[in-house]
Amino acid sequence: MLVSVIIPTLGQALTLKEILDSLEKQTLQPDEIVIVDSSKDNAVKNLCSSYIRNLPIKFFKVTDLYPGEARNFGIKQSKGQFVVFLDADYSDYAEDLDILVKPVLAGEVVFSLGARRKELREEGSMTIPQVFGNALSCMLMKLLYNFCLLYTSP
């Protein structure tokens, strides 16, 4: 099963470097890393070129596609049967790739839904509608799919 990691970025070269460093160390390597960059400069492109020998990076420079549209664009460019989204600000942990993907590859689950850790959320980092949306989405997952979530990312 092909695993694609999609990373939308808006010039977050410093934190993207941390993500790519982490992905290099993973025991489960993605089959492709699709980076969709909406920044005005070439810092992210230059960074990606330095990792191309060690990681299967597909880099795309786009205009004004961030973040949702960049994710959709990345899906269209990917070949993976399993897609993992990582935010370029390192708010998602590349170290968790194994935890998310291995149960799917082993056939233990149909899908895996990762979330930012609720206990690590800074006070005031989410608006009231985001908190409500998280609670609503968890409730709907339980009602529609009998799948219990405690928290989803904003």
Side-chain angles (χ1 to χ4, degrees):
M1 184 177 294
L2 293 174
V3 176
S4 298
V5 171
I6 298 174
I7 307 172
T9 180
L10 186 59
Q12 294 122 320
L14 293 176
T15 50
L16 181 60
K17 180 182 183 333
E18 293 180 47
I19 293 169
L20 296 177
D21 286 343
S22 177
L23 287 172
E24 278 186 318
K25 298 172 189 170
Q26 294 297 306
T27 55
L28 177 78
Q29 290 288 315
D31 296 290
E32 64 181 355
I33 301 167
V34 179
I35 298 175
V36 184
D37 181 30
S38 295
S39 62
K40 303 283 187 219
D41 62 26
N42 288 321
V44 171
K45 181 179 181 180
N46 296 338
L47 174 71
C48 290
S49 66
S50 68
Y51 283 87
I52 222 88
R53 287 192 182 120
N54 299 328
L55 292 171
I57 293 176
K58 292 169 68 175
F59 176 83
F60 296 93
K61 185 75 161 177
V62 296
T63 306
D64 298 327
L65 295 181
Y66 183 78
E69 297 92 346
R71 289 185 188 104
N72 292 339
F73 180 88
I75 289 173
K76 290 176 186 173
Q77 306 307 316
S78 71
K79 295 180 181 169
Q81 297 163 297
F82 186 73
V83 175
V84 176
F85 295 109
L86 294 176
D87 288 344
D89 63 359
Y90 212 6
S91 57
D92 300 313
Y93 301 105
E95 298 84 23
D96 290 345
L97 186 64
D98 288 354
I99 296 167
L100 291 171
V101 174
K102 281 185 179 178
V104 176
L105 296 178
E108 297 168 4
V109 296
V110 176
F111 74 96
S112 178
L113 179 62
R116 295 184 182 132
R117 297 177 184 146
K118 183 178 182 179
E119 65 275 6
L120 297 178
R121 184 178 75 204
E122 292 181 25
E123 186 67 36
S125 64
M126 291 178 58
T127 64
I128 291 172
Q130 288 172 321
V131 172
F132 174 76
N134 282 331
L136 179 62
S137 64
C138 291
M139 182 189 72
L140 290 173
M141 289 291 282
K142 176 69 174 163
L143 288 174
L144 298 174
Y145 302 103
N146 198 28
F147 184 81
C148 184
L149 295 173
L150 301 177
Y151 176 76
T152 62
S153 62

